[in-house]
């Protein structure tokens, strides 16, 4: 009988934003092309997909009425996990720890193998305080305690799990080679054509833990051209920084770019990449940019050093970054070394094999299109 695997904990596929959504979509693509001997189901949030297609490539899709983000993410993950077990799946990949509260019941009443990617050390993030922080820490403990296997996307996260819980996590990062897929395509709005030559690029969610203020202060001081792409209008923090630096002549603040071809052109035109993330393990935007072969200046934390194998340049303060950014040029071999790392460690072909192997699937030829089980695609 064909093995049944499910992916849970994301908004769904096709991916529209976020690292976990990108992971889920690329695992579906690897499943579609890799001929694994397992049927695949992906759970999605119905709100994000009004059309509610029953399938995407070789994956069956099931929909929940709960939102995948915010406080409802707890219910979303918990109910989809229970539904997954009830429908007889052999293995489930849970992305994130929000739904871990039901794992003891899953283990008690089901034989389903649960593999949990714990993401970053979420409860340590500055944006969580009080009861939310305590709940996330409890969820992390339950995920580690009751999952059959825990996955960390960075050795730094694996070290934390070993020290805190005595658990050895499998380290599986993210692929980044999909960022090159739009090479040669001309975007609908070719914003990159109007950008200055040789600019430094920063691209991330506008949150304090990503050291946004530090990066802006450093480039305002250094005078080097910076293009910074982010969701500036989503928070008071972002709006305040945008108002403060929007008149700085060498700094261009752009809204989020979602079109793949446009994002490729902005990345490909950069002469330098600045990565300010200080938390969360291996960051998808960093491994994606490593494939472009440009020098990278990264915030000096254990996660970024593991991801770049100590081959980038690192900063801790605005003064550090201003000095490094103000240097005439960065040695081109820095970018070449980072691209070699990306091509060796951060490709979806490798990541897909690691995930499907840890879930218990074998690489055998099968005829997709016969995988669907004819189930309703919506959870009421």
């Amino acid at each position: 009988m064909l093995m049944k695997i499910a992916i849970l904990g994301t908004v769904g596929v096709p991916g529209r934003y976020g690292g976990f959504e990108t992971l889920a979509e690329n695992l579906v693509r690897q499943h579609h092309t890799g001929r694994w001997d397992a049927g695949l189901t992906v759970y999605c949030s119905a709100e994000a997909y009004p059309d509610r297609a029953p399938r995407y490539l070789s994956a069956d899709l099931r929909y929940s009425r709960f939102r995948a983000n915010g406080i409802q993410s707890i219910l979303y993950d918990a109910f989809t996990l229970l539904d997954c077990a009830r429908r007889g799946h052999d293995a489930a990949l849970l992305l994130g720890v929000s739904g871990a509260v039901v794992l003891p019941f899953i283990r008690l009443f089901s034989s389903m193998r649960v593999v949990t990617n714990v993401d970053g050390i979420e409860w340590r993030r500055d944006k969580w305080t009080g009861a939310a922080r305590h709940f996330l820490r409890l969820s992390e403990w339950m995920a580690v305690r009751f999952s059959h296997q825990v996955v960390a996307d960075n050795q730094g996260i694996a070290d934390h799990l070993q020290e805190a819980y005595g658990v050895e996590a499998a380290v599986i990062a993210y692929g980044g080679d999909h960022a090159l897929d739009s090479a040669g395509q001309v975007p609908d709005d070719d914003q990159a054509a109007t950008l200055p030559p040789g600019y430094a690029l920063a691209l991330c969610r506008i949150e304090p833990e990503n050291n946004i203020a530090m990066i802006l202060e450093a480039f305002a001081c250094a005078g080097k051209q910076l293009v910074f792409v982010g969701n500036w209008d989503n928070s008071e923090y972002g709006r305040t920084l945008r108002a403060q630096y929007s008149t700085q002549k060498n700094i261009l603040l752009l809204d989020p770019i979602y079109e793949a071809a446009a994002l490729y052109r902005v990345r490909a035109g950069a002469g330098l990449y600045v990565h300010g993330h200080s938390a969360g393990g291996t960051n998808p935007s960093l491994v994606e940019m490593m494939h472009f072969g440009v020098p990278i200046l990264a915030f000096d934390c254990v996660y970024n050093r593991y991801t770049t194998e100590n081959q980038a340049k690192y900063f801790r303060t605005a003064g550090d970054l201003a000095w490094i950014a103000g240097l005439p040029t960065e040695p081109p071999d820095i970018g070449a070394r980072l691209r070699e790392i990306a091509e060796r460690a951060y490709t979806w072909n490798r990541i897909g094999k690691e995930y499907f192997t840890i879930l218990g699937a074998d690489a055998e030829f099968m005829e997709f299109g016969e995988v669907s089980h004819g189930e309703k695609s919506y959870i009421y």
Side-chain angles (χ1 to χ4, degrees), residues 304-312 314 340-341 344-346:
N304 294 337
R305 282 190 174 271
Y306 272 124
T307 301
T308 59
E309 299 182 5
N310 288 312
Q311 295 301 308
Y314 306 94
E340 183 278 326
I341 294 168
R344 166 170 46 81
Y346 305 126

Side-chain angles (χ1 to χ4, degrees), residues 106-232:
I106 299 290
R107 292 295 299 268
L108 188 61
F109 297 109
S110 169
S111 61
M112 181 176 71
R113 175 175 169 80
V114 179
V115 176
T116 301
N117 182 322
V118 299
D119 200 12
I121 309 173
E122 190 70 18
W123 58 268
R124 286 186 180 174
R125 295 181 187 267
D126 293 338
K127 64 182 178 180
W128 301 118
T129 58
R133 173 168 289 193
H134 288 297
F135 174 79
L136 288 169
R137 190 168 190 176
L138 174 64
S139 296
E140 179 184 273
W141 176 83
M142 296 187 79
V144 173
R145 171 66 179 81
F146 293 104
S147 297
H148 293 84
Q149 176 68 59
V150 174
V151 172
D153 64 35
N154 186 284
Q155 186 61 49
I157 301 296
D159 292 344
H160 158 72
L161 297 175
Q162 179 65 50
E163 293 167 8
Y165 307 107
V167 169
E168 184 174 351
V171 179
I172 307 178
Y174 293 103
D177 48 323
H178 66 282
L180 304 178
D181 288 347
S182 297
Q185 298 179 21
V186 178
D188 295 336
D189 179 15
D190 195 359
Q191 191 166 224
T194 64
L195 297 179
Y199 55 87
L201 174 66
L203 187 156
C204 65
R205 288 194 178 100
I206 307 303
E207 298 178 352
E209 67 190 29
N210 293 337
N211 290 301
I212 314 300
M214 181 189 297
I215 295 171
L216 293 171
E217 178 186 345
F219 275 82
C221 178
K224 186 178 180 70
Q225 193 71 45
L226 173 69
V227 175
F228 206 136
V229 181
N231 55 337
W232 302 97

Side-chain angles (χ1 to χ4, degrees), residues 6-57:
I7 299 174
L8 313 95
T10 78
V11 174
V13 294
R16 298 188 176 179
Y17 74 96
F20 273 162
E21 283 70 32
T22 301
L23 171 59
E25 169 151 358
N26 280 281
L27 289 181
V28 171
R29 292 183 180 278
Q30 290 301 312
H31 179 264
H32 184 64
T33 60
R35 301 299 189 181
W36 295 89
D37 69 336
L40 180 63
T41 299
V42 180
Y43 282 81
C44 310
S45 177
E47 181 183 63
Y49 298 94
D51 294 340
R52 295 168 199 160
R55 287 176 65 77
Y56 178 64
L57 299 179

Side-chain angles (χ1 to χ4, degrees), residues 153-157 209-211 214-215 273-287 290 296-316 338 341 346:
D153 64 35
N154 186 284
Q155 186 61 49
I157 301 296
E209 67 190 29
N210 293 337
N211 290 301
M214 181 189 297
I215 295 171
Y273 184 68
V274 185
H275 187 74
H277 292 64
S278 62
T282 297
N283 184 263
S285 64
L286 177 56
V287 298
M290 288 170 67
I296 291 175
L297 311 183
F299 182 76
D300 193 357
C301 67
V302 63
Y303 309 120
N304 294 337
R305 282 190 174 271
Y306 272 124
T307 301
T308 59
E309 299 182 5
N310 288 312
Q311 295 301 308
K313 286 195 171 183
Y314 306 94
F315 61 91
R316 293 287 299 180
L338 291 169
I341 294 168
Y346 305 126

Side-chain angles (χ1 to χ4, degrees), residues 209-286:
E209 67 190 29
N210 293 337
N211 290 301
I212 314 300
M214 181 189 297
I215 295 171
L216 293 171
E217 178 186 345
F219 275 82
C221 178
K224 186 178 180 70
Q225 193 71 45
L226 173 69
V227 175
F228 206 136
V229 181
N231 55 337
W232 302 97
D233 293 330
N234 279 28
S235 66
E236 186 60 33
Y237 174 75
R239 289 188 290 270
T240 298
L241 288 175
R242 186 171 218 169
Q244 182 178 353
Y245 287 97
S246 59
T247 58
Q248 190 79 27
K249 291 185 178 180
N250 67 306
I251 295 177
L252 179 60
L253 306 180
L254 300 180
D255 290 325
I257 299 173
Y258 297 112
E259 186 192 359
L263 185 57
Y264 172 85
R265 292 287 285 266
V266 170
R267 282 171 161 164
L272 184 69
Y273 184 68
V274 185
H275 187 74
H277 292 64
S278 62
T282 297
N283 184 263
S285 64
L286 177 56

